[in-house]
Amino acid sequence: MNRNIYQFGAALLSGIVFGFGLSLSGMLNPVRVQGFLDVFGNWDPSLAFVLGGAVAVAFIGVQVMKKMRHPAFDDSFHVPTSRRIDGPLVTGSALFGLGWGIGGFCPGPAVASLSVVIPQTLLFVVAMLIGMTLYDQVWSRKT
């Protein structure tokens, strides 16, 4: 029971830090994200710096993980084992990219943006949840 409380607390704290970082960097504003994707117009490079910082933090985290026998609050690390590029991966990546480009959000910032009450955010999150449910109910049963 205590392990579950620690896992929940660690996940909650991680989410709070992630959301604060998104807010601090301005990534809760979909116009900034879309400005990054507008390379032939009024390009906004700020997302490149946010992504670079994220890659640096993730790199350090992976290096620390490699030196650990197991995580603090679980028996093993849950990392992908498949390195195969297949149709579902390419299709999912394309859908993610389309949603990101059209909506200006990916799932984490979309959920965090609910806190600033932008009506389009609610629509995006509802559509995202419907898509996740459809995948779970229809396509995931085929595998």
Side-chain angles (χ1 to χ4, degrees):
M1 181 70 172
N2 282 342
R3 177 186 254 179
N4 290 339
I5 292 171
Y6 291 135
Q7 287 174 334
F8 178 80
L12 181 63
L13 181 62
S14 297
I16 289 169
V17 170
F18 180 66
F20 180 73
L22 289 170
S23 178
L24 187 67
S25 65
M27 293 301 118
L28 299 185
N29 182 356
V31 174
R32 298 224 28 199
V33 173
Q34 289 168 329
F36 172 75
L37 298 173
D38 186 11
V39 293
F40 298 113
N42 190 18
W43 187 60
D44 180 359
S46 58
L47 180 57
F49 295 107
V50 173
L51 290 172
V55 167
V57 169
F59 177 80
I60 292 168
V62 168
Q63 299 311 309
V64 170
M65 180 192 77
K66 287 179 179 178
K67 295 182 186 315
M68 297 173 68
R69 288 184 298 169
H70 61 83
F73 306 122
D74 207 342
D75 295 325
S76 64
F77 291 102
H78 302 278
V79 295
T81 55
S82 175
R83 300 178 59 93
R84 214 176 90 198
I85 297 174
D86 57 5
L89 177 65
V90 172
T91 302
S93 300
L95 285 171
F96 177 88
L98 283 170
W100 189 45
I102 292 169
F105 288 119
C106 58
V111 171
S113 292
L114 289 173
S115 66
V116 294
V117 193
I118 301 170
Q120 296 89 338
T121 304
L122 183 58
L123 179 62
F124 182 90
V125 170
V126 167
M128 177 182 74
L129 291 173
I130 289 170
M132 291 166 69
T133 303
L134 274 172
Y135 172 80
D136 187 52
Q137 296 299 315
V138 178
W139 288 284
S140 68
R141 292 184 181 178
K142 293 179 182 179
T143 59

